[in-house]
């Protein structure tokens, strides 16, 4: 992993590169910030730079020496990875090493570190991955060994906020009394959830959310997305590349929600109550989670159509299909009904989340839309 491969964060890259160049490397770093901003990639690039045999003049790992090749394969002997795992019948006292093969594959496929996808990768469903006290004991044993080929032994800890209190207290002792050759690199989505005494012993580096144009450029380049669609996806994802990628992966789901939204508005406009009843049943058949997501999707479209009326394309984030539909539809969303429609959608989603009957909730909402869309 090279710094140049990571979008944005020029100041963080410069600080990490300066640390490596000057040899003034803190024994514990905390890289924290929003999910999907590329923090773990920064940690990987920094660890690789510390071990690289021939770093370049501009502060990059060379990518060609034996250390760099080992980092690319996640098997550098002086790099340890700690990450949330689950207890199951096979692993009563689980440690990261038990799941290292799965983690290597996950990071290779998901460099932006989507925790939801990592959680879903375990056979034991509904379990919440955590960092257990057994991890601290295993880590101490590993760190007691001297470095094999490098000046530093690096420990990359993904999501330290997933530690329970016992685990955190044991890790605290390792950080308070570090081995001379050890560098801890903690990567957190929520630094406030980390034991305060651990935070106080780490040098913090805060990553900001990715700007929409940066995300859109990356999506357009790497996924060959249309620039307009990429910018709309980036805006909707609110700086979280994982959200943008999930939306891209769920193209068929987005298309289904789009068809449902268009169908709802056309049926409401023509006051076709029978068709709206069928629409409500079709939406309910998708299941509770999909219904809630549909209302969230529809809320965004209502807001975007309201903004569309201002004729300010620089603040409108619609895909090409959405923009084409909005040319004729946006005039029906105005100051007199936009807020009420969004409120109804929020209420419908809340009712469904509270186990209300989806068919009834959806039909009630759809009928009310007859009056609102004409208002």
């Amino acid at each position: 992993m090279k710094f140049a491969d990571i979008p944005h964060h020029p100041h963080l890259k410069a600080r990490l590169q300066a640390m490596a160049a000057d040899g003034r490397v803190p024994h514990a770093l905390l890289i924290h910030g929003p999910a999907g901003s590329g923090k773990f990639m920064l940690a990987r690039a920094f660890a690789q730079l510390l071990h690289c045999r021939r770093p370049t003049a501009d502060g990059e790992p060379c990518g060609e020496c034996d250390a760099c090749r080992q980092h690319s394969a996640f098997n550098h002997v002086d790099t340890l990875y700690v990450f949330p795992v689950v207890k199951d019948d096979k692993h009563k006292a689980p440690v990261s090493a038990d799941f290292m093969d799965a983690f290597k594959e996950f990071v290779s496929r998901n460099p932006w570190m989507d925790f939801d996808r990592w959680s879903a990768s375990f056979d034991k469903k509904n379990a919440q991955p955590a960092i257990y006290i057994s991890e601290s004991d295993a880590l101490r044993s590993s760190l007691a060994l001297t470095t094999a080929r490098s000046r530093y032994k690096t420990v990359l800890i993904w999501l330290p906020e997933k530690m329970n209190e016992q685990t955190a207290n044991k890790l605290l002792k390792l950080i308070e009394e570090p081995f001379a050759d050890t560098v801890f690199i903690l990567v957190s989505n929520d630094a406030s959830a980390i034991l305060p005494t651990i935070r106080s012993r780490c040098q913090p580096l805060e990553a900001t959310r990715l700007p929409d144009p940066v995300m859109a450029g990356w999506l357009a380049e790497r996924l060959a997305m249309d620039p307009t669609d990429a910018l709309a996806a980036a805006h909707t994802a609110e700086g979280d590349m994982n959200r943008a990628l999930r939306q891209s992966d769920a193209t068929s789901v987005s298309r289904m929600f789009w068809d449902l939204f268009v169908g709802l508005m056309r049926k409401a406009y023509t006051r076709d109550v029978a068709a709206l009843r069928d629409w409500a049943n079709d939406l309910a058949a998708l299941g509770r989670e999909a219904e809630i997501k549909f209302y969230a999707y529809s809320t965004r479209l209502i807001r975007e159509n309201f903004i569309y009326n201002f004729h300010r394309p620089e603040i409108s984030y619609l895909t090409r299909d959405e923009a084409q539909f909005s040319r004729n539809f946006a005039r029906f969303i105005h100051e007199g009904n936009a807020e009420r429609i969004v409120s109804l959608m929020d209420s419908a989603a809340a009712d469904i989340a509270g186990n209300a009957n989806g068919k009834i909730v959806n039909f009630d909402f759809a009928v009310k839309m007859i009056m609102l869309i004409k208002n």
Side-chain angles (χ1 to χ4, degrees):
M1 174 62 65
K2 294 185 177 183
F3 290 105
D5 298 328
I6 308 167
H8 199 48
H9 308 305
H11 300 301
L12 289 186
K13 294 176 185 179
R15 287 187 64 182
L16 291 169
Q17 289 168 325
M19 289 177 188
D22 297 342
R24 298 179 180 178
V25 181
H27 74 274
L29 283 169
L30 172 59
I31 306 176
H32 65 98
S37 55
K39 303 181 300 297
F40 198 72
M41 288 191 282
L42 288 169
R44 289 174 56 199
F46 182 57
Q48 183 171 334
L49 180 59
L50 292 179
H51 292 148
C52 179
R53 307 291 187 192
R54 299 186 298 273
T56 65
D58 58 351
E60 289 279 13
C62 71
E64 299 175 354
C65 67
D66 59 339
C68 285
R69 290 196 300 270
Q70 289 165 10
H71 267 280
S72 296
F74 297 93
N75 62 5
H76 192 278
V77 67
D78 290 323
T79 300
L80 303 174
Y81 295 91
V82 174
F83 44 86
V85 296
V86 300
K87 288 183 178 180
D88 56 27
D89 294 337
K90 184 179 178 181
H91 306 97
K92 301 296 185 182
V95 296
S96 300
D98 296 333
F99 300 88
M100 195 59 209
D101 287 342
F103 187 72
K104 290 177 184 178
E105 182 178 356
F106 166 74
V107 178
S108 297
R109 294 176 177 271
N110 301 275
W112 296 93
M113 306 303 286
D114 188 337
F115 180 69
D116 290 341
R117 288 188 174 179
W118 175 242
S119 300
S121 70
F122 292 95
D123 293 334
K124 187 176 181 180
K125 304 305 178 186
N126 302 319
Q128 283 298 312
I131 300 175
Y132 296 96
I133 194 168
S134 47
E135 191 76 65
S136 300
D137 298 331
L139 188 57
R140 175 173 288 279
S141 297
S142 297
L143 294 178
L145 303 174
T146 58
T147 55
R149 305 187 63 185
S150 313
R151 177 180 176 184
Y152 300 105
K153 187 186 293 289
T154 56
V155 183
L156 276 64
I157 304 179
W158 180 44
L159 302 183
E161 59 266 33
K162 298 297 181 181
M163 298 179 184
N164 59 30
E165 188 174 353
Q166 283 183 309
T167 310
N169 283 324
K170 282 206 168 188
L171 176 65
L172 175 62
K173 292 181 180 179
L174 290 176
I175 295 178
E176 285 181 325
E177 303 169 2
F179 294 93
D181 59 355
T182 300
V183 177
F184 289 92
I185 309 173
L186 285 65
V187 181
S188 171
N189 291 343
D190 183 9
S192 65
I194 302 173
L195 193 70
T197 45
I198 290 181
R199 292 204 312 269
S200 67
R201 285 160 176 78
C202 297
Q203 180 168 325
L205 296 175
E206 184 174 4
T208 57
R209 61 157 282 178
L210 295 174
D212 289 354
V214 171
M215 287 186 65
W218 191 91
L219 291 168
E221 178 184 351
R222 300 299 179 93
L223 303 184
M225 289 181 67
D226 175 84
T228 301
D229 293 348
L231 187 59
H235 178 71
T236 304
E238 298 179 330
D240 184 346
M241 189 66 82
N242 289 319
R243 283 182 60 185
L245 291 172
R246 285 198 295 270
Q247 291 166 9
S248 174
D249 290 345
T251 302
S252 59
V253 174
S254 296
R255 185 72 214 184
M256 176 179 64
F257 286 168
W258 167 246
D259 290 341
L260 282 166
F261 179 84
V262 172
L264 166 68
M265 297 307 169
R266 286 174 174 165
K267 293 174 176 63
Y269 180 78
T270 59
R271 299 175 178 252
D272 191 339
V273 176
L276 286 173
R277 181 181 292 107
D278 292 337
W279 176 91
N281 293 340
D282 289 342
L283 178 57
L286 298 178
R288 199 173 305 279
E289 183 177 351
E291 289 174 276
I292 294 169
K293 289 181 177 179
F294 167 76
Y295 283 113
Y297 172 86
S298 298
T299 296
R300 179 184 73 84
L301 286 184
I302 293 298
R303 288 172 173 155
E304 290 292 344
N305 274 271
F306 180 73
I307 293 172
Y308 187 92
N309 292 307
F310 297 129
H311 304 292
R312 296 279 303 277
E314 69 274 14
I315 60 172
S316 179
Y317 297 93
L318 294 166
T319 66
R320 288 168 298 170
D321 287 343
E322 292 167 353
Q324 183 176 357
F325 178 73
S326 296
R327 290 190 186 100
N328 294 319
F329 175 69
R331 67 178 184 271
F332 296 103
I333 306 300
H334 46 75
E335 292 181 0
N337 64 8
E339 188 174 350
R340 293 166 63 193
I341 293 173
V342 168
S343 178
L344 275 178
M345 289 177 171
D346 290 343
S347 296
D351 289 342
I352 290 170
N355 293 323
N357 186 301
K359 292 182 180 180
I360 296 174
V361 171
N362 297 333
F363 184 53
D364 178 69
F365 164 76
V367 170
K368 288 175 179 175
M369 280 300 300
I370 292 176
M371 299 306 300
L372 285 172
I373 207 69
K374 291 281 192 178
N375 216 343

